[in-house]
mmCIF file of all heavy atoms in Angstrom:
data_model
loop_
_atom_site.group_PDB
_atom_site.id
_atom_site.type_symbol
_atom_site.label_atom_id
_atom_site.label_comp_id
_atom_site.label_asym_id
_atom_site.label_seq_id
_atom_site.Cartn_x
_atom_site.Cartn_y
_atom_site.Cartn_z
ATOM 1 N N LYS E 45 48.013 -14.296 15.386
ATOM 2 C CA LYS E 45 47.929 -14.284 16.787
ATOM 3 C C LYS E 45 47.173 -15.565 17.277
ATOM 4 O O LYS E 45 46.022 -15.683 16.833
ATOM 5 C CB LYS E 45 47.262 -13.072 17.274
ATOM 6 C CG LYS E 45 47.334 -12.722 18.709
ATOM 7 C CD LYS E 45 46.670 -11.476 19.039
ATOM 8 C CE LYS E 45 47.497 -10.765 20.285
ATOM 9 N NZ LYS E 45 47.327 -9.291 20.332
ATOM 10 N N ALA E 71 51.032 -31.163 13.485
ATOM 11 C CA ALA E 71 51.878 -31.727 12.411
ATOM 12 C C ALA E 71 52.396 -30.650 11.448
ATOM 13 O O ALA E 71 53.366 -30.945 10.868
ATOM 14 C CB ALA E 71 51.063 -32.837 11.579
ATOM 15 N N ASP E 75 59.391 -27.829 13.730
ATOM 16 C CA ASP E 75 60.010 -28.316 14.913
ATOM 17 C C ASP E 75 61.464 -28.568 14.636
ATOM 18 O O ASP E 75 61.747 -29.555 13.865
ATOM 19 C CB ASP E 75 59.290 -29.498 15.623
ATOM 20 C CG ASP E 75 59.743 -29.840 16.915
ATOM 21 O OD1 ASP E 75 60.817 -29.290 17.402
ATOM 22 O OD2 ASP E 75 59.132 -30.775 17.613
ATOM 23 N N PRO E 88 54.175 -31.901 22.336
ATOM 24 C CA PRO E 88 52.806 -31.540 22.315
ATOM 25 C C PRO E 88 52.569 -30.074 22.098
ATOM 26 O O PRO E 88 53.361 -29.095 22.470
ATOM 27 C CB PRO E 88 52.193 -31.897 23.693
ATOM 28 C CG PRO E 88 53.370 -32.270 24.624
ATOM 29 C CD PRO E 88 54.671 -32.352 23.793
ATOM 30 N N SER E 98 52.314 -14.359 19.299
ATOM 31 C CA SER E 98 52.439 -13.975 17.931
ATOM 32 C C SER E 98 53.265 -15.065 17.119
ATOM 33 O O SER E 98 54.296 -15.387 17.652
ATOM 34 C CB SER E 98 53.130 -12.711 17.689
ATOM 35 O OG SER E 98 52.139 -11.610 18.238
ATOM 36 N N THR E 110 32.661 -22.452 5.332
ATOM 37 C CA THR E 110 32.808 -22.192 6.695
ATOM 38 C C THR E 110 34.140 -22.543 7.294
ATOM 39 O O THR E 110 34.512 -22.250 8.458
ATOM 40 C CB THR E 110 31.730 -22.821 7.519
ATOM 41 O OG1 THR E 110 31.780 -24.312 7.344
ATOM 42 C CG2 THR E 110 30.263 -22.269 7.110
ATOM 43 N N SER E 120 57.873 -21.547 3.288
ATOM 44 C CA SER E 120 58.644 -21.648 2.027
ATOM 45 C C SER E 120 58.231 -20.599 1.172
ATOM 46 O O SER E 120 57.055 -20.129 1.034
ATOM 47 C CB SER E 120 58.282 -23.054 1.376
ATOM 48 O OG SER E 120 56.957 -23.030 0.960
ATOM 49 N N GLU E 148 73.065 -33.513 -10.149
ATOM 50 C CA GLU E 148 74.326 -33.357 -9.378
ATOM 51 C C GLU E 148 74.788 -31.969 -9.878
ATOM 52 O O GLU E 148 75.282 -31.294 -8.965
ATOM 53 C CB GLU E 148 75.398 -34.439 -9.654
ATOM 54 C CG GLU E 148 76.021 -34.912 -8.590
ATOM 55 C CD GLU E 148 75.504 -34.504 -7.152
ATOM 56 O OE1 GLU E 148 74.356 -35.180 -6.851
ATOM 57 O OE2 GLU E 148 75.929 -33.700 -6.522
ATOM 58 N N LEU E 150 73.328 -29.316 -11.030
ATOM 59 C CA LEU E 150 72.450 -28.196 -10.431
ATOM 60 C C LEU E 150 72.698 -27.972 -8.861
ATOM 61 O O LEU E 150 72.848 -26.892 -8.296
ATOM 62 C CB LEU E 150 70.981 -28.562 -10.617
ATOM 63 C CG LEU E 150 70.368 -28.217 -11.971
ATOM 64 C CD1 LEU E 150 69.082 -28.710 -12.157
ATOM 65 C CD2 LEU E 150 70.405 -26.642 -12.107
ATOM 66 N N LYS E 156 77.322 -23.635 -4.564
ATOM 67 C CA LYS E 156 78.345 -22.588 -4.589
ATOM 68 C C LYS E 156 77.868 -21.156 -4.311
ATOM 69 O O LYS E 156 78.653 -20.300 -3.910
ATOM 70 C CB LYS E 156 78.825 -22.578 -6.142
ATOM 71 C CG LYS E 156 80.154 -23.553 -6.280
ATOM 72 C CD LYS E 156 80.744 -23.211 -7.584
ATOM 73 C CE LYS E 156 79.861 -23.441 -8.750
ATOM 74 N NZ LYS E 156 80.398 -23.379 -10.072
ATOM 75 N N ARG E 234 48.597 4.240 -13.291
ATOM 76 C CA ARG E 234 49.567 5.092 -12.557
ATOM 77 C C ARG E 234 49.933 4.480 -11.210
ATOM 78 O O ARG E 234 51.068 4.325 -10.871
ATOM 79 C CB ARG E 234 49.097 6.516 -12.492
ATOM 80 C CG ARG E 234 49.931 7.326 -11.560
ATOM 81 C CD ARG E 234 50.155 8.781 -12.007
ATOM 82 N NE ARG E 234 51.195 9.290 -11.274
ATOM 83 C CZ ARG E 234 52.496 9.478 -11.706
ATOM 84 N NH1 ARG E 234 52.813 9.058 -12.804
ATOM 85 N NH2 ARG E 234 53.313 10.048 -10.853
ATOM 86 N N PRO E 253 65.176 2.321 -15.168
ATOM 87 C CA PRO E 253 65.213 3.117 -16.326
ATOM 88 C C PRO E 253 64.200 2.727 -17.511
ATOM 89 O O PRO E 253 63.777 3.469 -18.207
ATOM 90 C CB PRO E 253 66.578 3.212 -16.933
ATOM 91 C CG PRO E 253 67.471 2.610 -15.793
ATOM 92 C CD PRO E 253 66.630 1.767 -14.864
ATOM 93 N N TYR E 258 52.411 4.582 -19.100
ATOM 94 C CA TYR E 258 51.821 5.010 -20.297
ATOM 95 C C TYR E 258 50.374 5.758 -20.015
ATOM 96 O O TYR E 258 49.449 5.123 -19.497
ATOM 97 C CB TYR E 258 51.443 3.753 -21.175
ATOM 98 C CG TYR E 258 50.448 3.973 -22.301
ATOM 99 C CD1 TYR E 258 51.053 4.568 -23.523
ATOM 100 C CD2 TYR E 258 49.117 3.717 -22.289
ATOM 101 C CE1 TYR E 258 50.201 4.901 -24.457
ATOM 102 C CE2 TYR E 258 48.324 4.010 -23.365
ATOM 103 C CZ TYR E 258 48.861 4.529 -24.489
ATOM 104 O OH TYR E 258 48.007 4.901 -25.546
ATOM 105 N N GLU E 273 45.157 -9.510 -31.505
ATOM 106 C CA GLU E 273 46.064 -10.710 -31.415
ATOM 107 C C GLU E 273 45.465 -11.777 -30.482
ATOM 108 O O GLU E 273 45.486 -12.932 -30.673
ATOM 109 C CB GLU E 273 47.431 -10.284 -30.923
ATOM 110 C CG GLU E 273 48.425 -11.278 -31.329
ATOM 111 C CD GLU E 273 48.725 -11.418 -32.847
ATOM 112 O OE1 GLU E 273 49.237 -10.376 -33.450
ATOM 113 O OE2 GLU E 273 48.494 -12.407 -33.383
ATOM 114 N N ASP E 302 47.790 -28.385 -38.194
ATOM 115 C CA ASP E 302 47.728 -28.762 -39.551
ATOM 116 C C ASP E 302 48.094 -27.609 -40.480
ATOM 117 O O ASP E 302 47.546 -26.514 -40.323
ATOM 118 C CB ASP E 302 46.323 -29.318 -39.816
ATOM 119 C CG ASP E 302 46.141 -30.068 -41.061
ATOM 120 O OD1 ASP E 302 47.188 -30.689 -41.622
ATOM 121 O OD2 ASP E 302 45.154 -30.071 -41.681
ATOM 122 N N ILE E 329 54.015 -21.459 -36.252
ATOM 123 C CA ILE E 329 53.775 -22.546 -35.345
ATOM 124 C C ILE E 329 54.506 -22.129 -33.960
ATOM 125 O O ILE E 329 53.905 -22.114 -32.915
ATOM 126 C CB ILE E 329 54.160 -23.979 -35.758
ATOM 127 C CG1 ILE E 329 53.277 -24.425 -36.916
ATOM 128 C CG2 ILE E 329 54.159 -24.937 -34.517
ATOM 129 C CD1 ILE E 329 53.668 -25.622 -37.538
ATOM 130 N N LYS E 355 62.751 -31.229 -46.291
ATOM 131 C CA LYS E 355 62.311 -31.578 -44.989
ATOM 132 C C LYS E 355 63.282 -31.102 -43.910
ATOM 133 O O LYS E 355 62.924 -30.519 -42.877
ATOM 134 C CB LYS E 355 62.182 -33.194 -45.013
ATOM 135 C CG LYS E 355 61.012 -33.731 -45.597
ATOM 136 C CD LYS E 355 60.952 -35.257 -45.331
ATOM 137 C CE LYS E 355 59.777 -35.867 -45.899
ATOM 138 N NZ LYS E 355 59.652 -37.325 -45.762
ATOM 139 N N VAL E 375 61.884 -31.498 -30.075
ATOM 140 C CA VAL E 375 61.281 -31.749 -31.362
ATOM 141 C C VAL E 375 61.865 -32.967 -31.988
ATOM 142 O O VAL E 375 63.108 -33.168 -31.920
ATOM 143 C CB VAL E 375 61.514 -30.560 -32.248
ATOM 144 C CG1 VAL E 375 60.951 -30.823 -33.689
ATOM 145 C CG2 VAL E 375 61.087 -29.251 -31.734
ATOM 146 N N ARG E 388 56.180 -29.430 -25.480
ATOM 147 C CA ARG E 388 56.542 -28.090 -24.810
ATOM 148 C C ARG E 388 56.085 -28.205 -23.401
ATOM 149 O O ARG E 388 54.966 -28.707 -23.110
ATOM 150 C CB ARG E 388 55.729 -27.083 -25.605
ATOM 151 C CG ARG E 388 56.132 -25.748 -25.210
ATOM 152 C CD ARG E 388 55.568 -24.625 -26.057
ATOM 153 N NE ARG E 388 56.031 -23.279 -25.799
ATOM 154 C CZ ARG E 388 55.270 -22.381 -24.817
ATOM 155 N NH1 ARG E 388 54.252 -22.961 -24.216
ATOM 156 N NH2 ARG E 388 55.771 -21.387 -24.538
ATOM 157 N N LYS E 389 57.004 -27.876 -22.488
ATOM 158 C CA LYS E 389 56.751 -28.055 -21.092
ATOM 159 C C LYS E 389 55.448 -27.248 -20.779
ATOM 160 O O LYS E 389 55.268 -26.136 -21.174
ATOM 161 C CB LYS E 389 57.873 -27.559 -20.199
ATOM 162 C CG LYS E 389 57.883 -27.994 -18.816
ATOM 163 C CD LYS E 389 59.026 -27.499 -18.040
ATOM 164 C CE LYS E 389 60.195 -28.423 -18.097
ATOM 165 N NZ LYS E 389 61.381 -28.096 -17.341
ATOM 166 N N LEU E 395 46.247 -20.077 -22.760
ATOM 167 C CA LEU E 395 45.357 -18.827 -22.879
ATOM 168 C C LEU E 395 43.885 -19.142 -22.950
ATOM 169 O O LEU E 395 42.978 -18.572 -22.362
ATOM 170 C CB LEU E 395 45.824 -17.992 -24.102
ATOM 171 C CG LEU E 395 45.201 -16.552 -24.220
ATOM 172 C CD1 LEU E 395 45.757 -15.675 -23.146
ATOM 173 C CD2 LEU E 395 45.534 -15.999 -25.647
ATOM 174 N N LEU E 458 6.137 -30.960 -41.133
ATOM 175 C CA LEU E 458 5.561 -30.726 -39.796
ATOM 176 C C LEU E 458 4.004 -30.863 -40.060
ATOM 177 O O LEU E 458 3.304 -31.538 -39.149
ATOM 178 C CB LEU E 458 5.910 -29.415 -39.312
ATOM 179 C CG LEU E 458 5.348 -29.033 -37.918
ATOM 180 C CD1 LEU E 458 6.011 -29.832 -36.873
ATOM 181 C CD2 LEU E 458 5.557 -27.518 -37.705
ATOM 182 N N GLU E 480 20.928 -26.545 -30.669
ATOM 183 C CA GLU E 480 20.604 -28.058 -30.483
ATOM 184 C C GLU E 480 19.602 -28.204 -29.303
ATOM 185 O O GLU E 480 19.234 -29.364 -29.033
ATOM 186 C CB GLU E 480 21.883 -28.752 -29.954
ATOM 187 C CG GLU E 480 22.971 -29.063 -31.127
ATOM 188 C CD GLU E 480 24.103 -29.923 -30.810
ATOM 189 O OE1 GLU E 480 24.325 -30.206 -29.601
ATOM 190 O OE2 GLU E 480 24.795 -30.375 -31.650
ATOM 191 N N GLN E 481 19.120 -27.137 -28.666
ATOM 192 C CA GLN E 481 18.340 -27.283 -27.518
ATOM 193 C C GLN E 481 16.808 -27.146 -27.842
ATOM 194 O O GLN E 481 16.409 -26.217 -28.678
ATOM 195 C CB GLN E 481 18.663 -26.107 -26.570
ATOM 196 C CG GLN E 481 18.634 -26.456 -25.080
ATOM 197 C CD GLN E 481 19.124 -25.310 -24.298
ATOM 198 O OE1 GLN E 481 19.617 -24.267 -24.760
ATOM 199 N NE2 GLN E 481 19.000 -25.476 -23.033
#
Side-chain angles (χ1 to χ4, degrees):
K45 193 173 210 157
D75 187 352
S98 292
T110 57
S120 71
E148 221 22 71
L150 274 171
K156 268 193 296 186
R234 171 137 194 100
Y258 170 78
E273 202 67 69
D302 193 26
I329 289 169
K355 281 187 182 179
V375 183
R388 186 170 183 272
K389 192 178 278 184
L395 190 68
L458 184 68
E480 289 190 342
Q481 217 175 352

